[in-house]
């Protein structure tokens, strides 16, 4: 899969990448590829789906047993940092390929979004919704999952294309934001500066 991801990324599009180029990148014969994949499309989807599935599983492993009641604030902070680190690093890995599929041919993009991508979002959202329900938290987990993925994509772009992208600083900022909310609580009128 690593060789396929490199070959697809190097060519910049699905159609411009040949099975021969993928085989050369992997240092195997084209026949070996065809033993495992029926088509280049299938290989392309697997090259994206595998890291996306792995990322979702890693996140699920991190948050699956989480309980705001049982966990102390330090545990929540560490869990949040691990979550954002995993999400950003994963998006950095799959972003070039996701760009190829999502902004390429419309039918392929729709199929990818409706199937493996939505499955990953739903799996993450289902785990979070269970945690929210068990703890009486009134959040819509699907919206949280989509927002988290969007934020991770934006920060992976920042890290990839802006000089000085600092993963640790991004993770710290996102962790504080996740725990404190987008709108910090304002002090009461007696202490507020005018």
């Amino acid at each position: 899969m690593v060789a396929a991801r490199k070959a697809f990324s190097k060519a910049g599009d699905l159609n411009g990448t040949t099975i021969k180029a993928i085989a050369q990148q992997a240092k195997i014969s084209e026949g070996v590829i065809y033993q495992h994949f029926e088509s280049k499309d299938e290989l392309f989807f697997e090259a994206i789906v595998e890291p996306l599935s792995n990322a979702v599983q890693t996140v699920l492993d991190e948050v699956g047993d989480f309980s705001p009641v049982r966990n102390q604030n330090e545990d929540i902070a560490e869990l949040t940092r691990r979550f954002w680190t995993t999400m950003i690093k994963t998006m950095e890995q799959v972003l070039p390929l996701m760009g190829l599929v999502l902004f390429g041919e419309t039918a392929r993009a729709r199929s990818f979004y409706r199937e493996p991508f939505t499955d990953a979002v739903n799996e993450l959202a289902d785990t979070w919704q269970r945690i929210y329900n068990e703890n009486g938290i009134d959040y819509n987990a699907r919206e949280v999952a989509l927002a988290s993925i969007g934020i991770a994509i934006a920060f992976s772009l920042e890290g990839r294309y802006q000089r000085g992208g600092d993963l640790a600083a991004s993770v710290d900022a996102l962790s504080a934001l996740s725990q404190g909310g987008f709108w910090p609580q304002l002090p009461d009128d007696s202490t507020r500066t005018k």
Side-chain angles (χ1 to χ4, degrees), residues 136-190:
I137 299 169
D138 189 24
Y139 277 5
N140 180 314
R142 182 162 171 74
E143 291 170 358
V144 173
L146 286 169
S148 298
I149 291 168
I151 289 169
I153 288 171
F155 274 83
S156 70
L157 286 168
E158 180 77 8
R160 185 179 185 99
Y161 296 115
Q162 282 285 32
R163 292 184 180 261
D166 183 352
L167 178 62
S170 295
V171 166
D172 287 345
L174 286 171
S175 296
L177 180 66
S178 298
Q179 292 180 282
F182 281 107
W183 303 107
Q185 188 170 11
L186 297 175
D188 63 29
D189 286 339
S190 64

Side-chain angles (χ1 to χ4, degrees), residues 65-151:
D65 294 327
F66 173 72
S67 167
V69 175
R70 286 193 318 265
N71 293 82
Q72 300 297 317
N73 285 340
E74 293 148 14
D75 295 334
I76 294 169
E78 180 56 30
L79 179 68
T80 304
R81 280 192 291 279
R82 287 195 322 249
F83 166 75
W84 284 119
T85 299
T86 299
M87 290 294 286
I88 293 169
K89 283 183 174 181
T90 299
M91 288 304 140
E92 285 175 346
Q93 181 184 6
V94 299
L95 194 61
L97 296 173
M98 283 180 64
L100 292 175
V101 73
L102 291 175
F103 301 108
E105 181 185 309
T106 303
R108 187 177 292 123
R110 184 178 296 116
S111 176
F112 173 76
Y113 188 84
R114 288 182 176 170
E115 293 165 17
F117 186 81
T118 296
D119 291 346
V121 171
N122 289 340
E123 191 172 354
L124 184 58
D126 289 347
T127 298
W128 279 346
Q129 194 65 61
R130 178 189 52 78
I131 293 167
Y132 294 158
N133 293 344
E134 287 173 359
N135 293 283
I137 299 169
D138 189 24
Y139 277 5
N140 180 314
R142 182 162 171 74
E143 291 170 358
V144 173
L146 286 169
S148 298
I149 291 168
I151 289 169

Side-chain angles (χ1 to χ4, degrees), residues 34-86:
Y34 284 115
Q35 287 175 356
H36 298 281
F37 301 97
E38 290 183 22
S39 68
K40 185 171 54 171
D41 272 358
E42 182 183 337
L43 175 59
F44 183 75
F45 269 49
E46 286 299 314
I48 295 170
V49 172
E50 179 186 3
L52 187 58
S53 296
N54 290 344
V56 169
Q57 191 56 55
T58 299
V59 171
L60 294 176
D61 291 345
E62 298 273 351
V63 301
D65 294 327
F66 173 72
S67 167
V69 175
R70 286 193 318 265
N71 293 82
Q72 300 297 317
N73 285 340
E74 293 148 14
D75 295 334
I76 294 169
E78 180 56 30
L79 179 68
T80 304
R81 280 192 291 279
R82 287 195 322 249
F83 166 75
W84 284 119
T85 299
T86 299

